[in-house]
Amino acid sequence: MREVFHQSLEDLQSRLVEIADLVTVSIDKATRAFAQSDVSLAEEVIADDSLIDEKAVALDEQAIEILARQQPVARDLRIVVFALRVSASLERMGDMSEHIAQLARLRFPERAIPKGLKSTFTKMGEQDVEIARTLSELLRTQDLRLADHIRNADDDVDELHARVFEKVLSDSWKGEAEATVDATLASRYHERFADHAVAIAKKVVYLATGDWAVEEEDIPLAVEAHAATLED
Amino acid sequence: MREVFHQSLEDLQSRLVEIADLVTVSIDKATRAFAQSDVSLAEEVIADDSLIDEKAVALDEQAIEILARQQPVARDLRIVVFALRVSASLERMGDMSEHIAQLARLRFPERAIPKGLKSTFTKMGEQDVEIARTLSELLRTQDLRLADHIRNADDDVDELHARVFEKVLSDSWKGEAEATVDATLASRYHERFADHAVAIAKKVVYLATGDWAVEEEDIPLAVEAHAATLED
């Protein structure tokens, strides 16, 4: 029974990693579609989002079945609840990729990235892709140092997000209202994408360190402490 | 044991209603703060959001305890998982109220609502408040007709959201970039607030009709069918 249960948990983990990998492909394509006005790439992202949604629903169903059949307690129970929550966040990350792709498609054949913001959005997209890739690795390896890496990359995204608004609100901004709207929404989607990854990374840390009920808004110092232990 | 379990489920339900009530107060204050540039009201919303967050965490902990101690199966298990998911969405609705209040505070003593959009945002705020109030009632009574009411109000919000962009992108728009950014973000927050409520309402319907695993993006026709049954 114990053996079966551990097999079930490993299966949940594999499913989370699989969804995270799909999200990584999705954000990578979405940022390229957005930067290069590649409408067929944008269409792919939009079409593939339903696959992410389906896989998240399937994972949830499996988690509920594990709860019903194997009635886990203590840490095992936390792991199953964790999987339910993480699948919801990954699904939202997929939605953010889709929204970025939709902006690219909406503006085609014009370029979706407003003038003067190309390098900012390119960097933001690169950070989001890096975050998704690292998140997938974190879910696969449980190496908590990766959580710090995600948090640092999220700080970069926040800084780039602020830079978009600085630019848009500066005297040098020559964009029409349409460009302002696009910049605002695209920046918000990129930022939310990274936020969801940070929320998941924190949950991984809480699960590992046991401090689950801690205020989620706080930055968990436990990450550094735990990483230091690993490095010792 | 059965008695104890039903007491636990009722307690979960009461907690959901309590959080939904707090969210209703929060969006009501936030929309007034936004319309009237009332910075002290905005501060209240921002301060009170941590209470919503705490109550959501407490509910989650109770749900996990129920899973561990009482090991529910079948529909009882679905109810507990439902509570976990709904608390996450309610918490996000509180965040949207907070974001609207933050915009009001950021622009103070100027008016946060951009010129030419006062009536649109007033209606949007009213719809969001109505949606929150109805959602709380739905969670309290399980009267599925209320889910339709929420969906209709969400359609109105979507239409108002589209109207904001029409206005901002029209020749008559005289707003500076700042007003365009504010309109874009505020409209997005109002729309997301309503979306979360619709997602919760759908979950209530699925729980009642048993069709849980259905594609969440689809509009559940079951609502009308079920409501018709109730009216018969």
Side-chain angles (χ1 to χ4, degrees):
Chain A
M1 184 66 182
R2 195 75 198 154
E3 190 68 19
V4 173
F5 182 66
H6 276 279
Q7 188 54 48
S8 302
L9 289 192
E10 272 173 34
D11 189 24
L12 275 188
Q13 185 191 16
S14 306
R15 283 170 185 253
L16 285 177
V17 173
E18 187 191 4
I19 300 173
D21 286 342
L22 289 173
V23 168
T24 305
V25 171
S26 164
I27 188 68
D28 179 47
K29 284 184 181 173
T31 53
R32 281 189 288 135
F34 188 64
Q36 298 156 15
S37 302
D38 186 331
V39 76
S40 65
L41 210 51
E43 295 283 8
E44 277 182 42
V45 174
I46 294 162
D48 291 349
D49 188 57
S50 57
L51 182 64
I52 293 174
D53 295 348
E54 281 163 26
K55 292 210 177 268
V57 168
L59 184 150
D60 291 355
E61 282 306 308
Q62 206 215 348
I64 292 171
E65 203 174 299
I66 292 173
L67 290 174
R69 295 204 177 186
Q70 308 187 349
Q71 312 205 317
V73 294
R75 186 158 184 280
D76 292 340
L77 170 59
R78 300 267 165 184
I79 293 173
V80 179
V81 172
F82 162 85
L84 279 170
R85 286 167 158 157
V86 171
S87 88
S89 291
L90 287 172
E91 193 268 319
R92 284 302 296 157
M93 289 172 77
D95 288 345
M96 294 302 112
S97 297
E98 188 186 13
H99 289 342
I100 293 166
Q102 282 165 333
L103 268 184
R105 184 174 67 176
L106 180 67
R107 296 303 170 219
F108 182 81
E110 303 290 312
R111 195 157 66 210
I113 296 189
K115 269 182 201 154
L117 287 170
K118 188 164 168 59
S119 86
T120 308
F121 274 114
T122 301
K123 281 180 206 148
M124 231 175 177
E126 284 167 0
Q127 289 297 334
D128 272 358
V129 172
E130 175 66 16
I131 283 170
R133 199 173 285 139
T134 309
L135 181 63
S136 179
E137 190 70 6
L138 173 64
L139 290 168
R140 200 171 58 75
T141 63
Q142 312 285 315
D143 175 352
L144 298 192
R145 287 167 297 188
L146 296 171
D148 280 335
H149 185 62
I150 290 170
R151 201 173 61 191
N152 291 337
D154 175 59
D155 287 344
D156 290 344
V157 171
D158 286 346
E159 210 178 297
L160 292 161
H161 182 53
R163 206 183 295 168
V164 169
F165 289 110
E166 266 167 39
K167 175 74 187 176
V168 165
L169 301 177
S170 73
D171 293 338
S172 72
W173 180 246
K174 303 283 178 247
E176 301 285 318
E178 185 177 281
T180 307
V181 169
D182 286 357
T184 303
L185 288 178
S187 193
R188 170 94 182 143
Y189 300 146
H190 281 91
E191 184 235 356
R192 286 297 301 154
F193 184 94
D195 282 350
H196 283 293
V198 170
I200 295 172
K202 283 183 186 175
K203 288 184 172 64
V204 174
V205 173
Y206 294 145
L207 198 60
T209 58
D211 194 9
W212 183 270
V214 73
E215 168 60 62
E216 302 234 338
E217 291 302 309
D218 287 344
I219 298 297
L221 292 173
V223 186
E224 284 91 341
H226 202 94
T229 313
L230 284 175
E231 277 164 345
D232 277 347
Chain B
M1 183 66 183
R2 195 72 200 156
E3 190 68 20
V4 172
F5 182 66
H6 276 280
Q7 189 55 48
S8 302
L9 288 192
E10 272 173 33
D11 189 23
L12 275 188
Q13 187 191 14
S14 307
R15 283 170 185 253
L16 286 177
V17 173
E18 186 191 5
I19 300 173
D21 286 342
L22 289 173
V23 168
T24 306
V25 171
S26 164
I27 188 69
D28 180 47
K29 285 185 181 175
T31 54
R32 283 190 287 135
F34 188 63
Q36 298 155 15
S37 301
D38 186 332
V39 76
S40 65
L41 210 51
E43 295 282 6
E44 277 181 41
V45 174
I46 295 162
D48 290 350
D49 188 57
S50 57
L51 182 63
I52 293 174
D53 294 348
E54 281 162 26
K55 292 210 177 268
V57 169
L59 184 150
D60 291 355
E61 283 305 309
Q62 205 214 349
I64 292 171
E65 204 173 297
I66 292 173
L67 290 174
R69 294 203 178 186
Q70 308 186 350
Q71 312 204 319
V73 294
R75 186 159 184 280
D76 292 340
L77 171 59
R78 300 269 164 182
I79 293 173
V80 179
V81 172
F82 162 86
L84 278 170
R85 285 167 159 157
V86 171
S87 88
S89 291
L90 287 172
E91 192 269 318
R92 284 304 295 159
M93 290 173 77
D95 289 346
M96 294 302 112
S97 297
E98 188 186 14
H99 289 341
I100 293 167
Q102 281 165 334
L103 267 184
R105 183 174 68 176
L106 181 67
R107 296 305 170 218
F108 182 80
E110 302 291 312
R111 194 155 68 209
I113 295 190
K115 270 183 200 152
L117 287 170
K118 189 165 169 58
S119 86
T120 308
F121 274 113
T122 302
K123 282 180 206 150
M124 231 175 176
E126 283 167 1
Q127 289 297 334
D128 271 358
V129 173
E130 176 66 16
I131 284 170
R133 200 174 283 139
T134 309
L135 181 63
S136 179
E137 190 69 6
L138 173 65
L139 289 168
R140 201 171 58 76
T141 63
Q142 311 286 315
D143 175 352
L144 298 192
R145 287 168 297 189
L146 296 171
D148 279 336
H149 186 62
I150 290 169
R151 201 174 60 189
N152 291 337
D154 175 59
D155 287 345
D156 290 344
V157 171
D158 286 346
E159 211 178 297
L160 292 161
H161 182 53
R163 205 183 296 169
V164 169
F165 288 111
E166 266 166 39
K167 174 73 186 175
V168 165
L169 301 177
S170 73
D171 293 337
S172 72
W173 180 246
K174 303 281 177 250
E176 300 285 318
E178 186 177 279
T180 308
V181 169
D182 287 357
T184 304
L185 288 178
S187 193
R188 169 94 184 144
Y189 299 147
H190 281 92
E191 184 235 357
R192 284 299 299 152
F193 184 94
D195 281 350
H196 283 293
V198 170
I200 295 172
K202 284 183 185 175
K203 287 182 172 63
V204 175
V205 173
Y206 294 146
L207 198 61
T209 58
D211 194 9
W212 182 271
V214 73
E215 170 59 62
E216 304 233 337
E217 292 303 308
D218 286 344
I219 299 298
L221 292 173
V223 185
E224 284 91 341
H226 202 94
T229 314
L230 284 175
E231 277 165 346
D232 276 348

